[in-house]
Amino acid sequence: HKAEPTLAMNGMFMTDAFAAFSKCLLLGAGMLVLLFSSGWLREEGGRPFEFIILMLFATLGMMCMVSAADFLTLYVGLEMASLSLYVLASFQRDHARSSEAGLKYFVLGALASGMLLFGISLVYGFTGTTGFDSLAALFGAGGEVSKAVIVGLIFIMVGFCFKLSAAPFHMWAPDVYEGAPTPVTAFFATAPKIAAFALFTRVLLQPFGELFTQWQQVIIFAAIASMLVGALAAIMQTNIKRLLAYSSIGHVGFIFMA
């Protein structure tokens, strides 16, 4: 018997088996990073209180993302996680590379958030709703889908591809991975990827499942581009963090193809 999802806050949050599994992965990744970062915080004479608080807020935002049943909830959770990640990337404020990584991530992240919000506004403007179930019922009714909705969907997918560092929206990943502190790099390579993939899966299959033929081509292009960039660019890397960044880009492509 398939358990019915539990809705809260007027249907804006949803808890089901998929969300619970994703949250377990997120909490496991967060706990492992906190465990591994204890030695780094002692050696660097860092600020453990601020680091832990930022990690918790980032994880909380990602948990809100995977439980989102509405685009407004999705955006609030995404921004809660992103703002914490911007600060974590530049946590070593006395190091130029860390400050540069945080600035690059902030500027490009703000651009991606703006594109995501623009896509959501287009979908809302031409459908009149931001709820996942309402959109699924609307598209499942078999009516004609406006071209503006398709454009909005593409903008939404671009915002998600940035969070996944999928090509060709991967330009931030090598510099941020290299400049961020090592525990933060480990966190970037795990938890945000889990949350973004879970969110990508939920959004594409639940509200936009009936538009499969519209977004399939974007997924195929991002998968092929990510595999090519990850495989070819990783060959010439001499820095282990940049190598990790390009390897994660290639893994994104393989998961897309799967």
Side-chain angles (χ1 to χ4, degrees):
H1 176 68
K2 183 179 179 180
E4 292 294 327
T6 303
L7 299 177
M9 299 185 69
N10 289 330
M12 299 188 75
F13 280 93
M14 175 172 55
T15 300
D16 55 6
F18 180 71
F21 176 71
S22 301
K23 289 177 182 177
C24 289
L25 293 179
L26 289 171
L27 290 172
M31 287 188 291
L32 285 175
V33 171
L34 285 175
L35 179 64
F36 294 151
S37 62
S38 59
W40 171 78
L41 288 171
R42 286 195 303 268
E43 293 173 4
E44 295 290 330
R47 306 176 299 282
F49 178 77
E50 292 90 336
F51 185 82
I52 293 172
I53 291 296
L54 290 169
M55 288 280 294
L56 290 177
F57 270 108
T59 306
L60 176 62
M62 288 183 277
M63 291 175 68
C64 291
M65 287 165 55
V66 300
S67 286
D70 190 282
F71 275 115
L72 296 180
T73 312
L74 181 155
Y75 188 74
V76 170
L78 179 67
E79 287 305 299
M80 181 187 295
S82 296
L83 289 173
S84 301
L85 293 175
Y86 297 153
V87 181
L88 284 172
S90 58
F91 194 74
Q92 289 179 303
R93 56 192 179 190
D94 296 329
H95 293 68
R97 284 188 177 273
S98 183
S99 300
E100 179 187 357
L103 183 60
K104 285 182 178 179
Y105 192 35
F106 172 73
V107 172
L108 294 175
L111 175 62
S113 295
M115 298 179 74
L116 174 64
L117 193 59
F118 181 66
I120 293 173
S121 66
L122 279 177
V123 172
Y124 174 72
F126 285 86
T127 61
T129 181
T130 55
F132 290 175
D133 290 338
S134 301
L135 288 170
L138 181 64
F139 297 139
E144 184 179 357
V145 179
S146 172
K147 299 296 183 183
V149 174
I150 305 301
V151 175
L153 173 59
I154 293 174
F155 273 103
I156 291 171
M157 294 178 67
V158 167
F160 289 161
C161 284
F162 174 87
K163 299 301 178 183
L164 281 170
S165 66
F169 310 103
H170 65 284
M171 68 290 292
W172 63 271
D175 292 334
V176 173
Y177 276 48
E178 182 182 10
T182 302
V184 177
T185 301
F187 190 64
F188 277 151
T190 52
K193 294 285 194 300
I194 296 170
F197 270 120
L199 193 59
F200 222 135
T201 303
R202 186 182 293 281
V203 169
L204 291 184
L205 297 182
Q206 189 174 350
F208 296 112
E210 297 296 329
L211 305 181
F212 174 78
T213 56
Q214 307 293 338
W215 52 259
Q216 181 187 27
Q217 300 174 12
V218 180
I219 294 294
I220 293 174
F221 172 77
I224 295 175
S226 297
M227 287 188 290
L228 289 175
V229 170
L232 298 178
I235 296 175
M236 61 188 72
Q237 300 305 317
T238 57
N239 183 282
I240 186 65
K241 289 184 178 180
R242 295 182 72 89
L243 178 62
L244 174 63
Y246 283 110
S247 297
S248 67
I249 294 169
H251 293 155
V252 168
F254 282 112
I255 295 175
F256 273 161
M257 289 300 291

